Each structure stands twice: as C-alpha cells, then as structure tokens.
Amino acid sequence: MRRGVAAVGVVVLVGAGVSGCGTEAKAVCGVVVDSTSYADPATSRSDVTSKLPPFAQGCDWIAFAAVTGSSESSTCRQDPVSIAATKAENPNANPVVEDRIRTHRITEVLPRAVALFDCPTEGEGSDVLGAFRYLVKQMSAQRQPDKAHQIIVFSDLINNRGELNINKLDLSEAARAQKAKQLRASQLMPDLAGYGVVVHGFLREKTASPDRFPLLEDFWKETFEAAGASPVDLL
C-alpha cells in the first residue's frame, strides 16, 4: 500500500512539471545510475531507456551521479544538462523557442546517464550513499524554493561500503530507526528535505534471504524519510 501511495505522489509532482508548455518552471532534477552489479541485467539498462526520458520532460536542469565502489570521489562523471532556455537564448519567453531548446537538450540526458553504466571499477562493492552525497551537492547549488526537486535512481540500493553494509545490517525495528537517524546525523545521507525520490530496480538481485526483503524496504523508507525526502517510491 505504501508503494502505491508514494507512486501517486511522484506522478503528481513530476506531472506538475510536465503539464503546460513554454516557459513554465519545471523541476531541479538528479539522476543516480548504479555501475556496479546492478548494471549487469539487461532490465537495468532498459529501465533507464524507458523511464528517464519522460522524467526529464519535467525538469529544467538535471545532474548525474554514478554508484561505484567510491562514488563521491569517482572520476566517472557526466556534466549536468541545463534543459530550460536561458534569458539570453529566449529573451521574449517565446514558448516555441523554449520548446525547441528543451527538445534538443533532453536528447543529451539519456546518453549521459547510460554512459555511467560503464564506469571503471573503483574498489569493491557499492557506495550508494556517496552517490547521493555527490548528486545533492550539485543540486543544492541549483536549488530554487519555488521549484520541485526530484531524484530518479537506477540502483538496487545494496550499499556495502563504509558505515553501511546492507548484507550485515540489523533489521530489527529499533536498530533500523537508529541506523537511519545515525546516517543522517553523520551526514552520510545528505539532507533531502524538499526532494522526491523514486528508485527503479530496488533489490533487483535478491541475494539476501526473502524474509529480509520487506525489512530492507522499511529500512530504506525510514532512511530517506529521516533525511527529509517525500514522497519516496521503491520500485
């Protein structure tokens, strides 16, 4: 039930950015692409190909981050794409000019995201939290209070580096809540207040025992919520 409710929230927020035309303000956006074992199944790449272009339609600006073994210090980068026309490019706020520029720039988004699947190996494991920190640093520099802020994630969220090893995590209710708060308090999970987050491929490679799946879902929900994110959808 929680997934369904969250999904509606994401659709509403993204849809609000897509509706209308011309110079209507859209969202400040970010994309996380997991280049570790998540990238191996063909479904991971097809998710990006099918889900990212419509997401980008609701964005005025979009940044990228790769999940590697050392995401925050990774050398595997893609420059952000400024999708909306600048005042210099469209001084009269002509909606035809705006749409033409947006249409061209949105074509740059998918190739940059797909390129992150092929990042070189950087250490062992997946540093998911580091990718969030790097992405939010970029988005914070562009943050505008009157715009929605949306993050789309293509990852299984199996963080197994540093202070968070999903495979060894105590998933009892009290321990989950404590860990979620600790990650935010230590700034290992960045401030996501005002951000909506949708994740595609959550636990795609289910290496843990089945009874841990719903508890891991609860843990990540609690972690995102402790960081202030809303809505959160794990697909």
Side-chain angles (χ1 to χ4, degrees):
M1 178 61 69
R2 286 175 301 167
R3 288 190 183 189
V5 171
V8 170
V10 171
V11 169
V12 168
L13 280 170
V14 174
V18 174
S19 64
C21 60
T23 57
E24 179 183 350
K26 301 182 189 296
V28 174
C29 299
V31 182
V32 174
V33 177
D34 194 332
S35 72
T36 63
S37 59
Y38 166 87
D40 295 337
T43 48
S44 297
R45 293 180 186 251
S46 65
D47 269 353
V48 175
T49 302
S50 62
K51 305 296 194 310
L52 184 54
F55 173 84
Q57 292 286 344
C59 303
D60 272 348
W61 182 91
I62 194 161
F64 304 87
V67 176
T68 71
S70 184
S71 303
E72 201 167 15
S73 60
S74 175
T75 58
C76 189
R77 303 289 192 218
Q78 290 292 323
D79 292 334
V81 176
S82 182
I83 297 173
T86 65
K87 288 185 179 180
E89 293 167 331
N90 190 11
N92 299 318
N94 185 320
V96 175
V97 174
E98 173 71 19
D99 287 345
R100 185 170 64 244
I101 290 173
R102 288 184 58 83
T103 299
H104 170 70
R105 289 190 177 150
I106 283 175
T107 65
E108 301 176 18
V109 172
L110 183 59
R112 296 189 192 198
V114 170
L116 295 178
F117 273 128
D118 300 315
C119 289
T121 301
E122 297 176 321
E124 297 182 358
S126 298
D127 177 22
V128 176
L129 296 179
F132 275 105
R133 292 194 299 271
Y134 176 68
L135 184 71
V136 170
K137 284 179 184 177
Q138 298 178 78
M139 294 180 69
S140 294
Q142 295 289 325
R143 190 156 188 172
Q144 300 179 44
D146 60 333
K147 289 187 178 183
H149 292 73
Q150 301 292 331
I151 296 176
I152 190 169
V153 182
F154 299 95
S155 173
D156 51 21
L157 297 189
I158 301 179
N159 192 112
N160 53 13
R161 297 274 295 174
E163 295 296 316
L164 179 61
N165 187 335
I166 288 295
N167 299 318
K168 298 180 179 180
L169 190 64
D170 182 349
L171 291 174
S172 63
E173 186 174 356
R176 288 198 320 264
Q178 181 179 6
K179 190 66 174 181
K181 292 177 181 177
Q182 175 205 336
L183 292 173
R184 177 64 201 115
S186 62
Q187 299 184 19
L188 291 173
M189 174 62 89
D191 181 5
L192 294 173
Y195 289 70
V197 179
V198 59
V199 179
H200 294 282
F202 179 65
L203 296 182
R204 173 161 285 154
E205 293 295 310
K206 297 179 174 63
T207 56
S209 57
D211 60 341
R212 285 176 65 86
F213 300 161
L215 299 178
L216 284 168
E217 180 179 11
D218 288 340
F219 165 73
W220 276 111
K221 288 272 190 179
E222 291 161 5
T223 298
F224 282 120
E225 289 166 2
S230 179
V232 176
D233 195 22
L234 307 178
L235 302 176

